[in-house]
Amino acid sequence: FSTTADGAASPTERFRISNNGSFSSVIPGGSTLYPSFDCRAWVNFNGTGTVAIRASGNVSSITDNGTGDYTVNFTTALADANYCVSSCYRNNVSAYNRMAPLSIKYAVAPTASALRVEGGYGDDNSALYNNQDLDYCCISVFR
């Protein structure tokens, strides 16, 4: 896909879809095509009491597995589980009031259809860590 700037004589390439279906774009002012790695799913939810999704994209539901332990269920499964997760939570329930990343649940492998995460608080000076229901959770999945 190309566009022509006002007053320009010829178009400039902006996007390209290759024969294998991959999508690339050109950063404004540049000439190099960069592959597009898109957010495949995202969710903002309240993890306290009855878990409630505030807003989401490609997330059908959140399963509450216990205190501070959640499964994010994708509406449309991804191609595989080789994705990158970015997350954060706000803990506004205890003395450990801060933003921190949610952790991918240990020993529960992510799948193409779901991701299990957990969060809570810990003493920065020791190995103590306790899951806690979280009032503000955000997760993005990129592939």
Side-chain angles (χ1 to χ4, degrees):
F1 294 93
S2 298
T3 62
T4 303
D6 288 345
S10 59
T12 301
E13 185 175 28
R14 301 295 184 195
F15 301 102
R16 181 184 298 172
I17 300 173
S18 68
N19 60 359
N20 69 3
S22 65
F23 181 77
S24 301
S25 62
V26 177
I27 295 175
S31 60
T32 304
L33 283 168
Y34 294 94
S36 178
F37 302 105
D38 300 323
C39 183
R40 303 294 183 190
W42 64 272
V43 65
N44 174 329
F45 69 95
N46 181 345
T48 61
T50 301
V51 174
I53 294 175
R54 292 184 185 96
S56 68
N58 196 32
V59 171
S60 60
S61 63
I62 304 292
T63 304
D64 188 347
N65 303 305
T67 305
D69 184 353
Y70 313 100
T71 300
V72 177
N73 302 294
F74 304 135
T75 304
T76 301
L78 306 181
D80 53 41
N82 297 326
Y83 46 79
C84 178
V85 178
S86 177
S87 66
C88 69
Y89 71 84
R90 177 184 66 198
N91 175 355
N92 198 25
V93 187
S94 73
Y96 299 97
N97 184 5
R98 61 180 169 214
M99 294 295 284
L102 287 157
S103 300
I104 295 175
K105 179 80 172 172
Y106 178 74
V108 179
T111 68
S113 59
L115 168 68
R116 193 157 170 186
V117 296
E118 63 184 348
Y121 63 93
D123 181 340
D124 292 335
N125 298 316
S126 72
L128 175 66
Y129 184 84
N130 297 296
N131 277 3
Q132 182 177 22
D133 283 346
L134 306 164
D135 68 337
Y136 189 88
C137 303
C138 295
I139 299 168
S140 300
V141 177
F142 293 88
R143 177 76 166 84

